[in-house]
Amino acid sequence: MRMSQLFLRTLRDDPADAEIDSHKLLVRTGAIRRISSGIYSWLPLGNRVLRNVEQIVREEMDAAGAQEVILPIVQPLELWERTGRDVAYGPQMFKFKDRRETGFALAPTAEEVVTSIVASEYSSYRDLPVNLYQINWKYRDELRPRFGLLRSREFLMKDAYSFHVDVEDLRKTYAAMYEAYERIFARCGLTVRAVEAQAGEIGGDINHEFMAVAPVGEDDFVWCRSCDYAANVEAAVRSALVSPGSSADASIAAPEAVPTPGMGSISDVAAHLGVPENTLLKSIAFDVGGKLALAVVPGDREVNEFAFKRAVAPLAARLYTDEDFARNPAIPKGFIGPDHSEVSIVVADPSVHGGQGWVIGANRVDEHTRNAVPMRDFRIDVVADLVIVASGDSCARCGGELSVDRGIEVGHVFQLGTKYSTALDATYTDDAGAQHPMVMGCYGVGVSRIVAAVVEEHSDENGITWPEGLAPYDVQLMVLAGKGDAGAGVKDAAERLYRDLQAAGVSVLFDDRDASPGVKFADADLLGMPVQIVLGAKGLARGVAERKIRATGERDEIAIDEVVTTLSGR
RNA sequence: CGGGAUGUAGCGCAGUUUGGCAGCGCGCAGCGUUCGGGACGCUGAGGCCCCGGGUUCAAAUCCCGGCAUCCCGACCA
């Protein structure tokens, strides 16, 4: 491609609405342009990158035995009502009506559609398993789109759905998808960690997220420095430890009330009493089955809401809201303690159970209690891991040190079970003639999000450094030609080189613009093709071109008549 | 949905306090000089100053209403 013909305008300044490198650079390099909040056009260079990612995903999915389809983006709302997800997804769906007032939604995902298709086509155990995937646009009306392509309202996603006779068969495909994902992200040049995750709205059981390690990521994940344990922070557990702030002394004095006027926070109380925050207990109120329940953790730690819900399951739990507190003045927010007369269940972290001499809320406004001992001064009904894991905690598996990092979720694999097949009657007949719901898995890759994640990992102060295989072109060829006969000679040589490289199968972006050398160098670094070839008058006189590897900055000279063989590897 | 901010040329911004010809840099077009790290000179094109209403002799600027965008938080696969 000739740059003189390419639809491209690079920007010298960062766009005012971009915060992170990938957003700034993708706009500055003319890869994308915003048309509305969270909605982008893909211009020629960006489109080529997106197609390259798509092709990698396609090759690996095909190799893993999945079959490509295209499912509708416009989906009838009625289908979503059958699984109850019209409500569960709720305002996150773009909804609209046709002229006959029938409700539709733009696809945020496609479990319903694909399940209904498989249900109507397949009905025998002989047909299974089957794994269908598509690479298609998805729509989520995010509350707050941000970070360019990382959280957009329109995004390209690969979604696959597999159907099985039983969980054992599902696990084979799940493992194959997991391995395919590792290859996909490796080929994209991403540093990715697979982490155990909490099941979200999609439902189901076992699932893993693939996190591209990046400080701008929106998700925290925990990983062990000594073993291979890794989990989303919502799902992560640590080994049971006694809080360092608690005393092991068995002869704690009797509990004693202390006035704490207006001190409804851990930090206020700790400062007032002159004790560390981890000698206090934090009691968080939940509504469990209509009754008060408490999650109790050391004062310096945060409650993992998901862990609490797991601990009280199958009962449904939700955090107390301001309305709940207003309705029940006997539960004074800021002064709640586990020794409460109305509490139905006290769930405490093991570190609480193992400690003594805690400062707890007195359940009266402006008052706390010190020297509280578990099982003596307040009861604990359930001991469960409740704290959000932090760096420095110990691994539940091996005792090693846990670390917390941030990541961009670029993939997610789920073992769904029978939630959708039951709701949509996707059943099969077994060899004994009995009917069963199909067992399902689903597997997502954020294709457009990968583009942003790759730029986050592969850029420097001068621009993008595309990994091979993703770059819009393999090579950027620059001609530095002045006026006159010498310049014409350089131009001719560059034209020949451009032609020969293309003939040899090398994809080339040829900067044939009538621009000054500085402009060409700066644009080449910004755009980030892996290899730059510079042909100028001085080099031509000696029969050489200059090669620069964009990512490392290494330069060398290649004889002009060896450029094609060197770059094409032939 | 709470808190904060912004909306002026393709991009980045000044001008709004104190009402008085619509500005600057980059980019774009033409001519000339340059030609190995975002060159220089001259000339020029380009505007619904977010939208609607109001005040005024006069509104980018003041008042009222709306919309959009961004940031922080909450929410979320």
Side-chain angles (χ1 to χ4, degrees):
Chain A
M1 184 72 204
R2 292 173 184 273
M3 276 187 85
S4 60
Q5 308 294 313
L6 182 64
F7 183 70
L8 170 72
R9 180 114 295 145
T10 58
L11 302 181
R12 235 182 246 223
D13 300 310
D14 287 334
D17 58 2
E19 263 221 324
I20 62 171
D21 289 345
S22 62
H23 189 189
K24 289 175 183 170
L25 287 171
L26 286 167
V27 173
R28 282 188 61 202
T29 57
I32 59 171
R33 287 289 184 263
R34 194 185 71 87
I35 194 78
S36 179
S37 177
I39 302 184
Y40 292 86
S41 301
W42 292 77
L43 304 187
L45 290 184
N47 181 52
R48 288 182 68 97
V49 177
L50 190 65
R51 297 303 166 208
N52 286 341
V53 175
E54 194 179 310
Q55 191 53 32
I56 288 170
V57 171
R58 179 173 289 120
E59 287 171 14
E60 295 298 340
M61 291 303 292
D62 289 345
Q67 300 174 58
E68 187 169 9
V69 295
I70 298 272
L71 302 170
I73 290 170
V74 173
Q75 303 181 349
L77 218 46
E78 184 268 336
L79 203 47
W80 287 77
E81 288 161 0
R82 288 173 64 185
T83 57
R85 285 213 300 172
D86 58 323
V87 176
Y89 253 100
Q92 257 208 110
M93 283 205 279
F94 280 102
K95 295 177 189 165
F96 63 100
K97 288 180 174 173
D98 68 6
R99 64 175 76 194
R100 283 180 285 272
E101 295 290 303
T102 305
F104 288 91
L106 297 181
T109 175
E111 282 82 6
E112 281 80 0
V113 168
V114 76
T115 304
S116 75
I117 292 170
V118 172
S120 63
E121 303 297 323
Y122 276 10
S123 57
S124 163
Y125 74 97
R126 293 168 185 268
D127 297 324
L128 301 175
V130 65
N131 187 3
L132 302 177
Y133 79 97
Q134 66 167 343
I135 299 173
N136 210 345
W137 295 96
K138 301 291 183 305
Y139 297 82
R140 287 180 197 166
D141 191 3
E142 297 284 351
L143 273 179
R144 185 143 99 81
R146 59 182 132 180
F147 299 150
L149 299 180
L150 279 193
R151 179 161 300 270
S152 53
R153 296 197 294 172
E154 177 179 74
F155 54 97
L156 192 62
M157 177 171 148
K158 187 284 300 176
D159 45 325
Y161 308 88
S162 68
F163 297 81
H164 310 268
V165 294
D166 56 26
V167 171
E168 188 187 345
D169 193 54
L170 165 63
R171 292 212 168 118
K172 289 180 199 161
T173 297
Y174 187 84
M177 288 292 102
Y178 188 106
E179 286 162 21
Y181 277 29
E182 291 184 320
R183 285 192 294 273
I184 287 168
F185 299 125
R187 286 180 66 183
C188 290
L190 284 173
T191 304
V192 164
R193 204 175 272 276
V195 308
E196 296 172 16
Q198 182 71 26
E201 205 50 69
I202 286 182
D205 200 3
I206 295 173
N207 70 100
H208 288 84
E209 291 174 337
F210 290 79
M211 309 294 294
V213 181
V216 301
E218 296 188 82
D219 297 292
D220 285 326
F221 66 91
V222 174
W223 57 281
C224 177
R225 293 181 177 279
S226 306
C227 71
D228 62 359
Y229 178 71
N232 183 299
V233 74
E234 293 167 353
V237 293
R238 58 175 189 162
S239 74
L241 275 184
V242 173
S243 168
S246 66
S247 163
D249 187 349
S251 57
I252 299 286
E256 172 194 1
V258 287
T260 50
M263 296 168 192
S265 74
I266 293 287
S267 57
D268 287 347
V269 175
H272 178 66
L273 298 180
V275 296
E277 293 188 0
N278 61 10
T279 62
L280 276 63
L281 289 187
K282 182 185 288 184
S283 300
I284 302 295
F286 282 84
D287 179 302
V288 175
K291 292 180 180 166
L292 172 69
L294 294 177
V296 185
V297 300
D300 60 335
R301 304 304 293 255
E302 298 296 319
V303 170
N304 184 339
E305 195 179 329
F306 293 92
F308 180 82
K309 287 177 178 172
R310 285 194 294 268
V312 298
L315 293 172
R318 62 171 175 79
L319 260 173
Y320 251 48
T321 61
D322 289 344
E323 292 81 63
D324 292 322
F325 284 114
R327 207 178 299 123
N328 197 342
I331 304 169
K333 189 178 183 184
F335 302 93
I336 307 171
D339 184 28
H340 194 290
S341 54
E342 285 187 27
V343 70
S344 63
I345 308 173
V346 177
V347 184
D349 192 75
S351 58
V352 172
H353 186 259
Q356 301 185 47
W358 298 101
V359 176
I360 63 175
N363 295 310
R364 281 184 296 277
V365 174
D366 297 343
E367 191 176 317
H368 280 74
T369 302
R370 75 164 104 207
N371 298 333
V373 175
M375 314 314 281
R376 182 188 82 177
D377 303 316
F378 61 89
R379 69 178 219 265
I380 293 175
D381 303 303
V382 179
V383 175
D385 290 305
L386 280 187
V387 304
I388 290 180
V389 175
S391 285
D393 282 349
S394 295
C395 176
R397 240 174 242 177
C398 76
E401 187 186 347
L402 295 174
S403 285
V404 178
D405 267 319
R406 308 220 82 186
I408 299 163
E409 183 188 343
V410 287
H412 206 152
V413 292
F414 293 87
Q415 295 183 20
L416 286 178
T418 56
K419 171 177 172 176
Y420 297 94
S421 51
T422 302
L424 297 164
D425 297 322
T427 59
Y428 71 92
T429 309
D430 69 15
D431 58 1
Q435 295 225 328
H436 306 278
M438 297 179 189
V439 177
M440 292 175 58
C442 78
Y443 320 93
V445 169
V447 176
S448 52
R449 184 181 272 188
I450 282 177
V451 174
V454 167
V455 176
E456 287 296 332
E457 186 166 347
H458 297 276
S459 66
D460 61 23
E461 64 279 5
N462 295 319
I464 300 176
T465 57
W466 288 116
E468 276 179 52
L470 289 199
Y473 296 89
D474 301 329
V475 175
Q476 182 146 351
L477 171 65
M478 281 170 275
V479 54
L480 306 183
K483 286 252 165 71
D485 292 346
V490 180
K491 265 184 195 163
D492 288 346
E495 290 282 349
R496 268 197 306 280
L497 200 48
Y498 175 52
R499 223 174 31 238
D500 293 346
L501 281 168
Q502 287 190 308
V506 179
S507 78
V508 185
L509 182 60
F510 178 27
D511 194 345
D512 60 338
R513 296 175 301 172
D514 184 19
S516 70
V519 169
K520 295 191 177 189
F521 288 130
D523 269 346
D525 285 349
L526 179 65
L527 295 176
M529 305 317 147
V531 176
Q532 299 172 6
I533 298 291
V534 182
L535 193 57
K538 290 174 200 163
L540 182 62
R542 292 167 37 231
V544 297
E546 182 179 303
R547 170 172 66 174
K548 174 175 160 184
I549 306 300
R550 171 64 182 94
T552 63
E554 292 169 84
R555 299 162 195 258
D556 59 2
E557 289 184 341
I558 305 177
I560 289 173
D561 46 16
E562 287 172 14
V563 168
V564 172
T565 50
T566 305
L567 295 189
S568 68
R570 293 180 198 172

